[in-house]
Amino acid sequence: SARPTLLSPDAIRTRFSRAMSDMYKAEVPQYGTLMELVADVNEETRRADSRLDRRLVENGEVERLHLERHGAIRLGTADELATMRRLFAVMGMVPVGYYDLSVAGVPVHSTAFRPVEPEALRRNPFRVFTSLLRLDLIEDEGLRAEAAEILSRRRIYTPGCLALIHTAEVQGGLGEEEADRFVAEALETFRWHSAATVSADVYRRLRGAHPLVADVVCFKGPHINHLTPRTLDIDTVQARMPERGISPKAVIEGPAPRRVPILLRQTSFRALQEPIAFKGADGEGVEDGTHTARFGEIEQRGAALTPKGRELYDTLLAQVRGDVQVKGDGSNAADYMAALSRRFEGFPDDEETLRREGLAFFRYTPTGKAGAPATDDVEALLAGGYLKAEPITYEDFLPVSAAGIFQSNLGDESQQNFAARANRAAFVRDLGADPADEIALYARAEAQSREAALAALKVEAA
Ligand code: OOG
Ligand code: NI
């Protein structure tokens, strides 16, 4: 039979992220409310800040803004993770970064599946923060074995999904009709199931070890637990959430509010309590109960930092957390935000200094001004107005912030610090691949933009 014309992975990713958003909107109405609030605030911010608006338009970021979101899932086994890598590859998403969440007392380690090429990111930067449960961090040996046994019995991918992943690998992509089927089949893996695979008693015991263990082990699949739209002004969205009946967590994770945004600021609302049908204790009938897993989150993205910039960020944040630990009831949130602002005065807040001091990554482009001298001297070309430099957007996550998000949706907002017990080697083995180094990706994007810009100026000069 004739080979189908293959769709680009970017197109499949956009279909999938739309389908996922529609599904989540139908399942969690507050997500739809949050999306509307974010869209309103983004509109207002663009209108109020013409420089920001011009940049968004010029860089083709306006198109991506309303598509932009990330999600998160938690997997139970190495096989599930390795297959997830193949599933996301169909959509041009590869594992980037390794995150150790044991520091926050959460027994998982994670990566982010996302596109990496600048053009693919511009089209649709959809990302999924993907965690793997670490049963090795569960103390109780019996419980550990029981959890492993339950997980070994479940199949989180439909046979149709597995077949289409294989087709994509063999063909080097999917055709139109195959892509639509793939999106529908893949969506099944991320769907919410209100029926547990275990009894309420087993659920309670696993929950006793850690709420995350129960969330991963007791269900048919890794329900998507949040989808996060990108806002241009997170402080305003946070302040207005209550007007729309949403109560946010006490503090915004990440850096202090700034003129030039860096990295990532995030806030979330508490997970919903949802009705669950557990299996009857005697193996028959059902027992009604509840589970909290799904929540809402928003984020504001800023400049990607160089290792030097990141070190400064980590140092300042550690100082803030030494000054003030947010209490479980959020009563000292204002003290925390004040300490954050005070400490982050130590982080330069203008683009020129960030660039000159090598704190952030920048993208170089010709301005279109005629008559550039024949030189590779970037500083001279910038000063002469022939080149411009703009911060490269951070596309990844932050472990301390992720821990804060995990904790808040587990119903405990008190900040805790635990000993790190990272095991990157085990994660790489289970994933079946080495996650890409995010710093190397930003450095490459910066270098490529500089070379392309210089080459373009030379062509024009010749
Ligand atoms: C993931 C939490 C981390 C983020 O944005 O940092 C995260 C989870 O709760 O599964 O999504
Ligand atoms: Ni998130």
Side-chain angles (χ1 to χ4, degrees), residues 290-313:
T290 61
H291 178 62
T292 48
R294 300 192 297 174
F295 61 101
E297 183 191 47
I298 52 166
E299 65 188 12
Q300 181 170 4
R301 291 188 172 266
L305 298 186
T306 62
K308 182 183 170 193
R310 180 55 186 267
E311 203 179 293
L312 178 58
Y313 171 79

Tab-separated table of all heavy atoms in Angstrom, residues 290-313:
chain	number	residue	atom	x	y	z
A	290	THR	N	-12.179	8.828	48.834
A	290	THR	CA	-11.732	10.004	48.077
A	290	THR	C	-10.222	9.953	47.862
A	290	THR	O	-9.508	9.217	48.541
A	290	THR	CB	-12.061	11.320	48.818
A	290	THR	OG1	-11.371	11.318	50.066
A	290	THR	CG2	-13.542	11.502	49.030
A	291	HIS	N	-9.775	10.765	46.916
A	291	HIS	CA	-8.341	10.882	46.642
A	291	HIS	C	-8.074	12.303	46.150
A	291	HIS	O	-8.894	12.873	45.435
A	291	HIS	CB	-7.925	9.860	45.572
A	291	HIS	CG	-6.475	9.945	45.197
A	291	HIS	ND1	-5.459	9.719	46.103
A	291	HIS	CD2	-5.853	10.219	44.017
A	291	HIS	CE1	-4.290	9.862	45.485
A	291	HIS	NE2	-4.500	10.162	44.224
A	292	THR	N	-6.930	12.882	46.552
A	292	THR	CA	-6.566	14.204	46.028
A	292	THR	C	-5.303	14.068	45.190
A	292	THR	O	-4.301	13.550	45.655
A	292	THR	CB	-6.277	15.211	47.168
A	292	THR	OG1	-5.391	14.581	48.098
A	292	THR	CG2	-7.534	15.620	47.879
A	293	ALA	N	-5.383	14.487	43.955
A	293	ALA	CA	-4.220	14.402	43.077
A	293	ALA	C	-4.153	15.584	42.126
A	293	ALA	O	-3.078	16.113	41.862
A	293	ALA	CB	-4.262	13.120	42.262
A	294	ARG	N	-5.308	16.006	41.634
A	294	ARG	CA	-5.276	16.955	40.518
A	294	ARG	C	-5.420	18.391	40.993
A	294	ARG	O	-6.280	18.710	41.804
A	294	ARG	CB	-6.373	16.581	39.525
A	294	ARG	CG	-6.121	15.157	39.004
A	294	ARG	CD	-6.966	14.819	37.841
A	294	ARG	NE	-8.388	14.830	38.148
A	294	ARG	CZ	-9.328	14.672	37.243
A	294	ARG	NH1	-8.998	14.507	35.988
A	294	ARG	NH2	-10.592	14.669	37.595
A	295	PHE	N	-4.562	19.256	40.445
A	295	PHE	CA	-4.547	20.643	40.876
A	295	PHE	C	-4.332	21.562	39.686
A	295	PHE	O	-4.311	21.113	38.548
A	295	PHE	CB	-3.470	20.837	41.957
A	295	PHE	CG	-2.058	20.528	41.507
A	295	PHE	CD1	-1.192	21.547	41.161
A	295	PHE	CD2	-1.594	19.225	41.457
A	295	PHE	CE1	0.120	21.282	40.772
A	295	PHE	CE2	-0.296	18.936	41.063
A	295	PHE	CZ	0.557	19.972	40.721
A	296	GLY	N	-4.198	22.848	39.961
A	296	GLY	CA	-3.952	23.816	38.893
A	296	GLY	C	-2.706	24.604	39.209
A	296	GLY	O	-2.342	24.778	40.370
A	297	GLU	N	-2.061	25.091	38.175
A	297	GLU	CA	-0.805	25.811	38.362
A	297	GLU	C	-0.659	26.835	37.239
A	297	GLU	O	-1.196	26.635	36.145
A	297	GLU	CB	0.354	24.803	38.305
A	297	GLU	CG	1.734	25.381	38.560
A	297	GLU	CD	2.842	24.381	38.210
A	297	GLU	OE1	2.783	23.767	37.130
A	297	GLU	OE2	3.761	24.232	39.012
A	298	ILE	N	0.028	27.933	37.527
A	298	ILE	CA	0.395	28.891	36.478
A	298	ILE	C	1.878	29.187	36.605
A	298	ILE	O	2.470	28.972	37.670
A	298	ILE	CB	-0.382	30.221	36.581
A	298	ILE	CG1	-0.251	30.785	37.998
A	298	ILE	CG2	-1.830	30.036	36.195
A	298	ILE	CD1	-0.670	32.221	38.106
A	299	GLU	N	2.468	29.666	35.523
A	299	GLU	CA	3.883	29.985	35.584
A	299	GLU	C	4.208	31.168	34.706
A	299	GLU	O	3.507	31.461	33.737
A	299	GLU	CB	4.722	28.774	35.167
A	299	GLU	CG	4.538	28.377	33.716
A	299	GLU	CD	5.240	27.061	33.386
A	299	GLU	OE1	5.663	26.353	34.314
A	299	GLU	OE2	5.351	26.749	32.191
A	300	GLN	N	5.287	31.870	35.100
A	300	GLN	CA	5.826	32.952	34.284
A	300	GLN	C	7.276	32.613	33.976
A	300	GLN	O	8.060	32.332	34.880
A	300	GLN	CB	5.743	34.284	35.043
A	300	GLN	CG	6.277	35.452	34.232
A	300	GLN	CD	5.984	36.800	34.875
A	300	GLN	OE1	5.440	36.882	35.969
A	300	GLN	NE2	6.358	37.864	34.191
A	301	ARG	N	7.631	32.624	32.704
A	301	ARG	CA	8.986	32.227	32.309
A	301	ARG	C	9.846	33.443	31.971
A	301	ARG	O	9.353	34.415	31.412
A	301	ARG	CB	8.934	31.253	31.130
A	301	ARG	CG	8.346	29.918	31.545
A	301	ARG	CD	8.414	28.814	30.522
A	301	ARG	NE	7.975	27.574	31.161
A	301	ARG	CZ	8.802	26.689	31.720
A	301	ARG	NH1	10.101	26.864	31.664
A	301	ARG	NH2	8.314	25.622	32.327
A	302	GLY	N	11.124	33.319	32.336
A	302	GLY	CA	12.064	34.400	32.045
A	302	GLY	C	13.330	33.852	31.421
A	302	GLY	O	13.336	32.780	30.821
A	303	ALA	N	14.436	34.579	31.572
A	303	ALA	CA	15.682	34.235	30.895
A	303	ALA	C	16.311	32.966	31.463
A	303	ALA	O	16.309	32.737	32.678
A	303	ALA	CB	16.669	35.389	31.038
A	304	ALA	N	16.876	32.149	30.554
A	304	ALA	CA	17.683	30.998	30.967
A	304	ALA	C	19.006	31.515	31.517
A	304	ALA	O	19.608	32.420	30.933
A	304	ALA	CB	17.927	30.084	29.769
A	305	LEU	N	19.445	30.978	32.636
A	305	LEU	CA	20.688	31.439	33.264
A	305	LEU	C	21.857	30.542	32.894
A	305	LEU	O	21.706	29.328	32.741
A	305	LEU	CB	20.532	31.473	34.788
A	305	LEU	CG	19.462	32.413	35.350
A	305	LEU	CD1	19.535	32.432	36.880
A	305	LEU	CD2	19.606	33.828	34.788
A	306	THR	N	23.024	31.175	32.791
A	306	THR	CA	24.274	30.421	32.614
A	306	THR	C	24.592	29.717	33.939
A	306	THR	O	23.980	30.043	34.977
A	306	THR	CB	25.423	31.388	32.300
A	306	THR	OG1	25.572	32.261	33.437
A	306	THR	CG2	25.139	32.207	31.041
A	307	PRO	N	25.563	28.793	33.964
A	307	PRO	CA	25.945	28.186	35.246
A	307	PRO	C	26.295	29.242	36.301
A	307	PRO	O	25.932	29.094	37.468
A	307	PRO	CB	27.153	27.318	34.872
A	307	PRO	CG	26.887	26.930	33.445
A	307	PRO	CD	26.248	28.151	32.819
A	308	LYS	N	26.961	30.330	35.879
A	308	LYS	CA	27.300	31.395	36.838
A	308	LYS	C	26.026	32.045	37.399
A	308	LYS	O	25.913	32.283	38.603
A	308	LYS	CB	28.178	32.444	36.135
A	308	LYS	CG	28.638	33.576	37.027
A	308	LYS	CD	29.449	34.600	36.237
A	308	LYS	CE	29.696	35.850	37.071
A	308	LYS	NZ	30.203	36.963	36.244
A	309	GLY	N	25.078	32.321	36.515
A	309	GLY	CA	23.823	32.930	36.953
A	309	GLY	C	23.026	31.984	37.840
A	309	GLY	O	22.435	32.389	38.847
A	310	ARG	N	23.032	30.713	37.478
A	310	ARG	CA	22.283	29.728	38.250
A	310	ARG	C	22.864	29.562	39.658
A	310	ARG	O	22.134	29.417	40.637
A	310	ARG	CB	22.272	28.389	37.508
A	310	ARG	CG	21.512	27.292	38.213
A	310	ARG	CD	20.062	27.721	38.519
A	310	ARG	NE	19.430	26.689	39.305
A	310	ARG	CZ	18.719	25.693	38.759
A	310	ARG	NH1	18.534	25.646	37.453
A	310	ARG	NH2	18.194	24.770	39.530
A	311	GLU	N	24.198	29.634	39.735
A	311	GLU	CA	24.833	29.509	41.039
A	311	GLU	C	24.413	30.672	41.937
A	311	GLU	O	24.108	30.482	43.116
A	311	GLU	CB	26.346	29.489	40.860
A	311	GLU	CG	27.079	28.837	42.007
A	311	GLU	CD	28.574	28.832	41.755
A	311	GLU	OE1	28.993	28.124	40.812
A	311	GLU	OE2	29.300	29.541	42.474
A	312	LEU	N	24.358	31.859	41.356
A	312	LEU	CA	23.935	33.028	42.127
A	312	LEU	C	22.475	32.853	42.569
A	312	LEU	O	22.121	33.115	43.722
A	312	LEU	CB	24.107	34.305	41.286
A	312	LEU	CG	23.665	35.616	41.939
A	312	LEU	CD1	24.408	35.855	43.259
A	312	LEU	CD2	23.893	36.805	40.985
A	313	TYR	N	21.625	32.375	41.657
A	313	TYR	CA	20.218	32.136	41.991
A	313	TYR	C	20.090	31.139	43.149
A	313	TYR	O	19.375	31.395	44.127
A	313	TYR	CB	19.470	31.606	40.757
A	313	TYR	CG	18.071	31.123	41.075
A	313	TYR	CD1	17.016	32.020	41.230
A	313	TYR	CD2	17.809	29.771	41.273
A	313	TYR	CE1	15.746	31.587	41.555
A	313	TYR	CE2	16.535	29.317	41.602
A	313	TYR	CZ	15.510	30.233	41.740
A	313	TYR	OH	14.253	29.798	42.073
